[in-house]
Amino acid sequence: CRARPNLRVHLAGVRNYEVMAEDGTIDYSVHEAWNEATNVYLLVILVSFGLLIYARKNKRKIMRIFSVPPATETLPGNNFYDNIQKVRLRQQLEMYYISRKYDQQQNQNSADSTQLLME
């Protein structure tokens, strides 16, 4: 049996990882770590690709989520005076309807009294 030399892999100047174990068998820990990292990269690529396809199909939904509603610059003073004007207008309408009702009652009472007088 021929002896194999110890093979070393140097990664980014940090550590030396032995590919061959001391007893001459191959150390698969580096390969397993590389496989796991590759699987993670593949998974990330597939998920990114799926999200890209989803984004193309549902672009309007996504844009609606991230769109900012238009800024309405209303001053609190203006809003307060607008509310006061609305309240005042409502009060004026109520007074108008009350006065119309009163006028109709007065006309009806005067018509009743003239009918009584004529009888």
Side-chain angles (χ1 to χ4, degrees):
C1 209
R2 197 167 120 194
R4 293 186 180 170
N6 244 359
L7 299 177
R8 293 181 182 261
V9 178
H10 190 70
L11 297 177
V14 177
R15 273 184 157 167
N16 288 330
Y17 289 98
E18 291 186 16
V19 176
M20 299 289 289
E22 293 298 325
D23 60 352
T25 59
I26 297 176
D27 184 13
Y28 286 104
S29 63
V30 174
H31 298 289
E32 289 172 7
W34 181 255
N35 274 340
E36 287 178 22
T38 307
N39 290 340
V40 169
Y41 289 136
L42 285 174
L43 184 65
V44 167
I45 290 170
L46 289 174
V47 168
S48 300
F49 189 65
L51 286 173
L52 180 67
I53 291 173
Y54 178 80
R56 282 191 178 187
K57 287 183 180 178
N58 300 309
K59 186 186 284 185
R60 288 194 176 138
K61 285 182 185 177
I62 295 171
M63 292 305 291
R64 193 173 21 180
I65 291 170
F66 293 112
S67 67
V68 178
T72 56
E73 295 182 20
T74 57
L75 298 174
N78 285 343
N79 196 10
F80 174 73
Y81 288 118
D82 288 343
N83 288 338
I84 287 179
Q85 286 178 345
K86 288 177 185 176
V87 169
R88 188 166 173 96
L89 179 61
R90 190 177 304 124
Q91 288 174 344
Q92 288 174 348
L93 286 172
E94 287 175 2
M95 290 303 293
Y96 173 75
Y97 288 126
I98 289 172
S99 66
R100 290 275 296 170
K101 195 183 235 182
Y102 179 78
D103 287 343
Q104 286 175 355
Q105 285 177 354
Q106 289 299 323
N107 287 340
Q108 190 177 11
N109 285 345
S110 66
D112 288 343
S113 63
T114 43
Q115 281 181 358
L116 286 175
L117 289 175
M118 294 194 50
E119 291 177 0

